[in-house]
Amino acid sequence: MVLENLEEVNQRILSACKRAGRDPGEVTLVAVSKTKPASMIEEAYSAGIRDFGENKVQELCEKYEELSKDIRWHMIGHLQRNKVKQVIDKAVLIHSVDSLRLAEQIEEEAAKKALTVDILLEVNVAEEESKFGFRLDDTECAIRKIALFPHVRIKGLMTIAPFVENSEENRFVFKKLRQFYVDMQSKNIDNVNMNMLSMGMTGDYEVAIEEGATLVRVGTGIFGTRYKIGENEV
Ligand SMILES: *Cc1c(COP(=O)(O)O)cnc(C)c1O
């Protein structure tokens, strides 16, 4: 099932690129494997997928130990400061830096390990109460502060768009983040070289690609539905 799903997702990515006149080489599919077993990850791996996304530090660390070392693990979920030190040497990219304090913690732990950690700033474009992330209005200020941290490298921006019935409803969210991203690129802030835009999930990745996403995070579309425990989707 994973292989068939992947084929379909890859086709849809290609079509979206074609519609937008984009080179498919600019778009990386991050297969979101949270809650899914190693066997399913291996199936996707056998089809050539190397980028996998997890939203919990413990799960990412366990899978990191268990699975192939050439997998690129992406931390995409809200990160607690006390877990930063476990994840910074395992994830290739932290998509979900949602506060200055978290960035400071990453800087501190990265300095101890003499690492440079690549991050994206998570932006709550639609200003949903329930979501983490910087308000768009506060993001430039945060970028300018974090740009001064020697062990952290801002590679771009990430957003989680609202849950909607029709993905077209999220087009303005992606457009808005992309506009801001281009604006930031043009400001040539020292030590900031933004070339990654992480946006789009199973329900809306095609629209996100049309609007400029360079990383799409697709879980359900590849691995099928996740189970829910209580109120929290796991
Ligand atoms: C779970 C998750 C995804 C994938 O969601 P799907 O709708 O299953 O594709 C993408 N991004 C983040 C941040 C997630 O937590």
Side-chain angles (χ1 to χ4, degrees):
M1 197 189 57
V2 171
L3 296 184
E4 287 158 29
N5 289 345
L6 260 176
E7 208 161 301
E8 174 169 347
V9 170
N10 279 323
Q11 268 313 319
R12 288 176 179 268
I13 290 173
L14 287 179
S15 304
C17 285
K18 200 163 186 185
R19 284 194 297 276
R22 296 187 59 196
D23 172 2
E26 291 173 12
V27 179
T28 300
L29 171 61
V30 177
V32 177
S33 49
K34 62 191 186 193
T35 80
K36 298 297 180 183
S39 58
M40 289 179 102
I41 296 175
E42 278 163 347
E43 228 179 314
Y45 182 95
S46 74
I49 300 290
R50 291 295 178 272
D51 293 89
F52 291 90
E54 291 286 338
N55 68 338
K56 297 214 161 62
V57 169
Q58 188 184 340
E59 190 174 345
L60 188 151
C61 291
E62 284 168 10
K63 287 173 172 169
Y64 174 90
E65 292 305 331
E66 183 177 355
L67 289 153
S68 178
K69 287 292 171 284
D70 66 345
I71 287 179
R72 293 185 288 271
W73 294 102
H74 295 249
M75 177 62 195
I76 62 172
H78 176 61
L79 177 56
Q80 288 168 302
R81 287 184 302 139
N82 62 358
K83 296 191 174 153
V84 164
K85 64 168 167 286
Q86 295 172 61
V87 81
I88 52 170
D89 55 356
K90 300 182 184 74
V92 293
L93 184 66
I94 300 173
H95 293 227
S96 44
V97 176
D98 53 18
S99 72
L100 209 49
R101 289 176 78 207
L102 175 60
E104 283 165 359
Q105 188 74 30
I106 296 171
E107 167 59 27
E108 192 176 311
E109 297 296 340
K112 284 186 204 164
K113 295 191 183 189
L115 293 173
T116 306
V117 177
D118 288 343
I119 66 164
L120 306 179
L121 296 197
E122 179 172 349
V123 185
N124 185 359
V125 178
E127 299 192 7
E128 291 177 281
E129 294 277 352
S130 60
K131 291 223 168 83
F132 293 102
F134 293 95
R135 288 160 39 100
L136 200 50
D137 287 344
D138 300 332
T139 307
E140 179 171 353
C141 181
I143 290 172
R144 290 185 182 278
K145 287 178 178 155
I146 297 168
L148 303 173
F149 297 178
H151 302 88
V152 173
R153 227 172 0 216
I154 301 175
K155 304 291 280 186
L157 304 170
M158 177 271 227
T159 197
I160 303 174
F163 179 80
V164 291
E165 287 295 326
N166 176 352
S167 59
E168 284 296 330
E169 295 170 49
N170 278 336
R171 188 178 291 278
F172 84 98
V173 170
F174 302 137
K175 216 184 257 295
K176 211 163 158 181
L177 190 64
R178 154 82 190 216
Q179 268 164 8
F180 175 76
Y181 165 83
V182 170
D183 187 33
M184 287 300 106
Q185 285 175 326
S186 71
K187 292 195 174 178
N188 287 319
I189 300 169
D190 270 356
N191 204 26
V192 176
N193 187 5
M194 297 210 299
N195 54 21
M196 295 181 178
L197 203 46
S198 170
M199 51 189 203
M201 311 179 15
T202 296
D204 55 20
Y205 67 92
E206 294 158 274
V207 174
I209 289 170
E210 288 168 14
E211 296 303 330
T214 72
L215 293 152
V216 290
R217 311 176 308 266
V218 180
T220 313
I222 296 171
F223 298 110
T225 317
R226 288 177 298 274
Y227 298 99
K228 295 188 182 200
I229 297 175
E231 293 289 294
N232 298 313
E233 188 185 16
V234 293

